[in-house]
């Protein structure tokens, strides 16, 4: 009986509480890992649609391989189509993130991580925190076709580090896109003349970027699972 009387119930309760906290932490990590994997499943149709769009553009580009490079306006429209397919995938990616309760709540907490330029671009005021639906709508309404900006926003809001491209090359791509979308192929008063190789290079670049995004999501889920196994 003396042994029973010497039992330290307070210490026992403290150890139970400690184990409960450890279990809660593990459950949170597990939930986060499965959330990343759920995101991949949600994006499956988006990836398929992007690949279908890019395959059709690839066929069209290859059909022009032996044609005259005087078809510069056609190559310009190919470039516009490539960036359009990319932008469509990005909107679906951010939409999928916003449809995850944990992600959208995290994004609202992380709004302060946006730099001033990106916050203004998304029309997010520092004086008023948007609701979950407001933030989703701002992401979906914004023109998101700059890989550098997309990398900054995804990292700031969702902690998802995306691969990107060099700043000067990104500017050239967007200038070309705007030239053929809004100015009949003219940039700064000069008519630009993209060719077969330009279209092929840009096509390969954006296919590689999307593959990099998917791999980044896979890596995030794997990191969480690795932490659980330690």
């Amino acid at each position: 009986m003396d042994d029973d009387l010497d039992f330290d119930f307070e210490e026992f309760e403290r150890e139970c509480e400690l184990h409960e906290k450890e279990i809660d932490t593990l459950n949170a990590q597990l939930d986060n890992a499965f959330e990343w994997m759920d995101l991949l499943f949600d994006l499956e149709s988006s990836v398929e649609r992007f690949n279908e769009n890019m395959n059709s553009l690839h066929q069209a580009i290859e059909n022009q391989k032996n044609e005259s490079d005087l078809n510069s306006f056609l190559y310009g429209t190919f470039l516009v189509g490539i960036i359009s397919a990319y932008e469509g995938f990005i909107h679906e990616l951010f939409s999928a993130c916003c449809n995850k309760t944990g992600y959208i709540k995290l994004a609202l907490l992380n709004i302060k991580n946006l730099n001033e330029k990106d916050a203004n671009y998304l029309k997010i005021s520092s004086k008023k925190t948007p609701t979950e639906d407001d933030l989703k709508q701002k992401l979906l309404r914004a023109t998101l076709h700059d890989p550098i900006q997309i990398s900054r926003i995804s990292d700031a809001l969702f902690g998802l580090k995306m691969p990107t491209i060099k700043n000067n090359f990104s500017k050239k791509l967007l200038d070309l896109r705007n030239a053929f979308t809004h100015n009949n192929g003219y940039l700064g008063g000069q008519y630009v003349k993209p060719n077969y190789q330009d279209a092929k290079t840009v096509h390969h670049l954006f296919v590689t970027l999307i593959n990099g995004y998917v791999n980044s999501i896979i890596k995030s889920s794997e990191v969480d699972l690795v932490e659980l196994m330690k």
Side-chain angles (χ1 to χ4, degrees), residues 122 146 182:
L122 294 174
D146 179 355
H182 304 295

Side-chain angles (χ1 to χ4, degrees), residues 21 61 63 69 109 117 144 150 152 170 177 188 201 206 212 218:
K21 290 179 180 178
I61 292 169
N63 286 339
D69 279 347
L109 292 173
K117 177 181 177 181
L144 297 171
I150 289 163
R152 288 198 308 264
S170 179
R177 179 257 186 196
T201 299
F206 280 98
I218 292 173

Side-chain angles (χ1 to χ4, degrees), residues 1-222:
M1 296 293 295
D2 290 342
D3 290 341
D4 292 338
L5 291 174
D6 290 339
F7 187 83
D8 190 338
F9 281 98
E10 290 185 358
E11 178 64 24
F12 179 71
E13 288 177 356
R14 284 194 293 270
E15 289 183 1
C16 286
E17 289 176 358
L18 179 61
H19 287 307
E20 286 178 1
K21 290 179 180 178
E22 289 176 348
I23 291 171
D24 288 341
T25 299
L26 287 172
N27 284 335
Q29 290 175 336
L30 187 60
D31 287 344
N32 195 41
F34 283 124
E35 281 278 306
W36 283 120
M37 288 187 284
D38 282 344
L39 180 61
L40 285 174
F41 285 122
D42 290 345
L43 287 173
E44 184 177 359
S45 61
S46 299
V47 173
E48 289 178 356
R49 185 160 44 252
F50 173 81
N51 286 332
E52 288 174 359
N53 292 339
M54 295 301 274
N55 285 339
S56 66
L57 284 166
H58 174 74
Q59 292 175 13
I61 292 169
E62 288 303 312
N63 286 339
Q64 296 298 313
K65 183 174 182 179
N66 297 318
E67 297 296 324
S68 170
D69 279 347
L70 293 176
N71 295 336
S72 56
F73 190 83
L74 181 58
Y75 290 121
T77 59
F78 288 155
L79 297 178
V80 172
I82 292 167
I83 297 175
S84 176
Y86 170 75
E87 182 181 354
F89 177 85
I90 293 302
H91 278 140
E92 292 184 22
L93 168 62
F94 282 155
S95 178
C97 287
C98 289
N99 286 335
K100 299 292 184 186
T101 302
Y103 291 0
I104 190 65
K105 290 184 181 300
L106 175 66
L108 288 173
L109 292 173
N110 287 340
I111 282 178
K112 62 182 181 298
N113 295 335
L114 289 169
N115 65 30
E116 185 178 357
K117 177 181 177 181
D118 293 335
N120 290 336
Y121 189 82
L122 294 174
K123 295 181 172 58
I124 294 176
S125 171
S126 59
K127 298 179 181 179
K128 182 181 179 182
T129 301
T131 64
E132 292 180 7
D133 188 60
D134 287 340
L135 179 57
K136 179 178 179 179
Q137 292 305 314
K138 289 179 185 298
L139 284 171
L140 296 185
R141 289 172 182 167
T143 301
L144 297 171
H145 50 35
D146 179 355
I148 296 174
Q149 183 183 49
I150 289 163
S151 180
R152 288 198 308 264
I153 292 174
S154 63
D155 187 21
L157 293 181
F158 302 107
L160 183 57
K161 296 185 182 298
M162 300 287 207
T164 187
I165 59 179
K166 293 181 179 179
N167 186 62
N168 60 340
F169 189 59
S170 179
K171 184 180 184 307
K172 289 178 181 178
L173 281 176
L174 297 183
D175 284 345
L176 278 175
R177 179 257 186 196
N178 291 335
F180 285 93
T181 301
H182 304 295
N183 297 311
N184 203 31
Y186 282 87
L187 179 62
Q190 297 285 328
Y191 186 71
V192 290
K193 298 180 178 182
N195 56 35
Y196 163 79
Q197 191 59 50
D198 295 330
K200 186 175 180 179
T201 299
V202 173
H203 180 277
H204 176 73
L205 170 67
F206 280 98
V207 169
T208 302
L209 270 179
I210 295 301
N211 286 333
Y213 292 174
V214 173
N215 288 335
S216 293
I217 297 171
I218 292 173
K219 183 178 179 181
S220 295
S221 65
E222 287 177 343

